């Protein structure tokens, strides 16, 4: 009996043409297959310090993300972070963190298949998101580096502000919700088509 | 929509939260020592005050953490939120007294 290796596909691989139709003020691109690890550790503990020195970052506080390095660290809860890294680094990063943590109390889990990432950019992003999301994206309320887990059009998402005034954001969405969210985004962007935007 | 202040995430819309019933109901120290009536009291019977009520809430669409809240059942105003293991803060209703029709006085 042979076991066939299933072919990997990203949830939004078929949406590229639809995204290309969106106005220039709302550029949507899927970032498939990002390495994602969930880190559960008590802040300030020895294990947390070990992770921080291994990654050479500081674990961000509530509603913040650390975006400077290759490994982005998103705050998900008071003792929970999501590490997002380029594709294919799961095993390397897991091994690195587990050896850094050693016998201390922490958990690192590979959740790369759980979510896909949408990169949105353009001056319409804030306006379009406002149609389905109650978060205030004014730079005074959510400056660059904000990380909010909330609802967008009733779909659970994690929103990371990467550009001033939400001109560039990441939306991390569960794989099973991704096509719904893509449908919603394409629909929400329709009214701006043909405008100078 | 009503905003609820999650202790971690700040004010968010009500639909991000789920309700967890009355707070400060401790699991019986020795469940086997309870007779059926006492067990029924523990499982089913809850206060139903008109005014401040200590409740459990979970920010299920955000940080997914449980917290306690003191909510005024007359006005739906959240008087305060506090940690899941913390004591119930003493707090009296800040809401203006609701007009009470004769015969509908609050029992407590």
């Amino acid at each position: 009996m042979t076991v066939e290796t299933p072919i990997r596909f990203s949830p939004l691989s078929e949406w590229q043409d639809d995204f290309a139709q969106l106005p220039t003020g709302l550029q949507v691109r899927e970032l498939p297959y990002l390495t994602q690890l969930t880190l559960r550790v008590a802040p300030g503990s020895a294990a947390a310090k070990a992770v921080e020195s291994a990654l050479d970052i500081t674990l961000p506080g509530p509603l913040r993300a650390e975006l400077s390095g290759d490994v982005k660290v998103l705050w998900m809860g008071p003792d929970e972070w999501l590490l997002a890294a380029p594709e294919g680094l799961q095993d390397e990063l897991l091994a690195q963190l587990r050896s850094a943590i050693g016998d201390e109390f922490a958990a690192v889990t590979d959740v790369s298949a759980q979510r896909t990432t949408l990169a949105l950019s353009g001056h319409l992003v804030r306006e379009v998101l406002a149609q389905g999301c109650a978060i205030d994206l004014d730079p005074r309320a959510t400056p660059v580096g904000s990380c909010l887990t909330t609802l967008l059009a009733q779909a659970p998402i994690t929103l990371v502000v990467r550009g001033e005034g939400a001109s560039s954001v990441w939306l991390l969405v569960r794989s099973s919700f991704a096509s719904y969210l893509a449908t919603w985004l394409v629909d929400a962007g329709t009214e701006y088509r043909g405008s100078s935007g | 929509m009503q905003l609820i202040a999650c202790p971690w995430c700040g004010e968010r819309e009500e639909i991000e939260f789920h309700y967890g019933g009355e707070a400060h109901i401790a699991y019986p120290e020795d469940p086997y020592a309870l007779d059926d009536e006492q067990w029924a009291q523990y499982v089913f019977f809850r206060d139903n005050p008109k005014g401040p009520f200590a409740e459990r809430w979970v920010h299920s669409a955000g940080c997914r953490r449980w917290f306690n809240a003191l909510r005024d059942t007359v006005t739906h105003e959240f008087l305060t939120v506090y940690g899941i293991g913390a004591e119930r803060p003493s707090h009296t209703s800040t809401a203006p007294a609701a007009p009470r029709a004769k015969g509908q006085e609050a029992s407590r």
Side-chain angles (χ1 to χ4, degrees):
Chain A
M1 199 176 91
T2 54
V3 178
E4 287 182 27
T5 311
I7 297 167
R8 184 174 71 162
F9 65 94
S10 70
L12 299 179
S13 52
E14 290 171 5
W15 280 85
Q16 286 170 18
D17 294 343
D18 298 88
F19 290 156
Q21 304 282 318
L22 286 165
T24 48
L26 177 68
Q27 294 295 306
V28 180
R29 195 160 56 90
E30 187 194 11
L31 309 174
Y33 314 129
L34 286 189
T35 295
Q36 292 166 60
L37 307 180
T38 289
L39 168 70
R40 295 294 303 263
V41 62
S45 66
K49 292 197 175 76
V51 170
E52 289 183 334
S53 63
L55 296 176
D56 196 23
I57 48 103
T58 310
L59 291 174
L63 308 181
R64 298 292 302 166
E66 172 61 55
L67 303 171
S68 55
D70 265 353
V71 181
K72 320 289 185 210
V73 187
L74 319 182
W75 183 90
M76 304 297 278
D79 59 355
E80 181 177 354
W81 288 268
L82 185 74
L83 314 180
E87 179 183 348
L89 292 175
Q90 287 91 328
D91 297 339
E92 187 186 320
L93 207 54
L94 268 177
Q96 184 196 357
L97 289 172
R98 283 184 178 156
S99 74
I101 290 164
D103 292 334
E104 300 293 339
F105 187 65
V108 193
T109 316
D110 180 10
V111 294
S112 303
Q114 200 173 78
R115 297 181 182 84
T116 189
T117 308
L118 282 167
L120 274 59
S121 61
H123 68 274
L124 289 173
V125 170
R126 190 172 151 192
E127 198 175 325
V128 170
L129 290 183
Q131 296 180 31
C133 180
I135 296 294
D136 183 2
L137 292 172
D138 189 288
R140 285 166 296 183
T142 46
V144 174
S146 295
C147 173
L148 307 122
T149 304
T150 182
L151 300 174
L152 173 60
Q154 287 96 51
I157 52 140
T158 298
L159 187 156
V160 184
V161 180
R162 294 173 55 83
E164 192 62 43
S167 59
S168 166
V169 303
W170 272 9
L171 300 180
L172 285 88
V173 58
R174 305 265 175 190
S175 298
S176 54
F177 277 95
S179 60
Y180 162 73
L181 199 71
T183 313
W184 183 86
L185 273 173
V186 168
D187 179 61
T190 305
E191 63 181 282
Y192 304 100
R193 253 184 233 176
S195 72
S196 61
Chain B
M1 189 179 294
Q2 179 165 20
L3 299 179
I4 297 175
C6 166
W8 295 103
C9 303
E11 291 198 329
R12 295 289 180 87
E13 287 194 319
E14 188 185 352
I15 51 165
E16 295 192 8
F17 296 83
H18 281 101
Y19 180 66
E22 184 176 359
H24 309 299
I25 307 279
Y27 190 76
E29 273 188 28
D30 182 6
Y32 295 101
L34 268 55
D35 61 24
D36 285 355
E37 190 181 331
Q38 288 169 320
W39 184 252
Q41 283 284 342
Y42 162 68
V43 174
F44 300 114
F45 283 67
R46 296 292 181 264
D47 287 347
N48 185 24
K50 192 172 188 178
F53 188 40
E55 303 169 328
R56 298 181 302 174
W57 286 81
V58 61
H59 190 191
S60 38
C63 60
R64 310 196 308 284
R65 293 309 185 280
W66 285 91
F67 61 94
N68 287 339
L70 208 58
R71 184 176 65 95
D72 192 311
T73 57
V74 176
T75 60
H76 294 285
E77 184 192 3
F78 277 72
L79 304 171
T80 181
V81 294
Y82 56 104
I84 203 76
E87 293 274 308
R88 179 189 160 132
S90 61
H91 210 298
T92 49
S93 176
T94 56
R100 285 174 190 154
K102 203 172 184 187
Q104 292 186 340
E105 291 86 358
S107 60
R108 58 166 97 195

